[in-house]
Amino acid sequence: MITDEEWKNLKSGDVIWYADQHALKPQNLIIAKITENSVYCDKKKIDKKSYLLHSNLNNATQAVNFRLKVHIEKIQHQIDENLKQLEQENGDTHSY
């Protein structure tokens, strides 16, 4: 998230980073217009308080990696549950 202090220093033409929760890596955006509470990039208006906006690549990458890690953990849990269900249905005693 961009801090209030960082926001004060932003201007049109600056690059910010968008850490979309569905993206595998942060996307750089060029500010076309900035107001007190919003930033406009490629006709997209984004709220100042958006947790997806970052002033630098490092913070945006950490945010994406955190969300990816959580997503991977959910997927791994679902794989484990699916394998348990298969074991129960097949009466299989093998461990996966």
Side-chain angles (χ1 to χ4, degrees), residues 27-67:
Q27 175 186 3
N28 65 329
L29 301 174
I30 298 172
I31 298 173
K33 177 183 172 184
I34 189 165
T35 66
E36 188 175 331
N37 296 310
S38 301
V39 65
Y40 296 81
C41 305
D42 283 338
K43 300 178 185 176
K44 181 191 280 192
K45 177 184 175 187
I46 306 168
D47 185 68
K48 174 184 179 180
K49 297 297 181 187
S50 173
Y51 66 93
L52 300 175
L53 283 182
H54 298 275
S55 61
N56 62 63
L57 179 57
N58 185 50
N59 290 349
T61 301
Q62 287 179 7
V64 168
N65 287 349
F66 176 78
R67 283 193 283 284

Side-chain angles (χ1 to χ4, degrees), residues 78-91:
Q78 189 59 53
I79 290 170
D80 294 344
E81 290 297 312
N82 291 351
L83 290 173
K84 284 180 189 175
Q85 183 176 358
L86 281 174
E87 277 184 10
Q88 291 171 355
E89 288 179 7
N90 294 325

Side-chain angles (χ1 to χ4, degrees), residues 2-20:
I2 297 177
T3 66
D4 289 337
E5 192 60 39
E6 291 169 330
W7 191 268
K8 290 176 189 175
N9 296 320
L10 292 176
K11 59 190 179 308
S12 293
D14 284 353
V15 173
I16 55 174
W17 296 91
Y18 190 70
D20 187 327

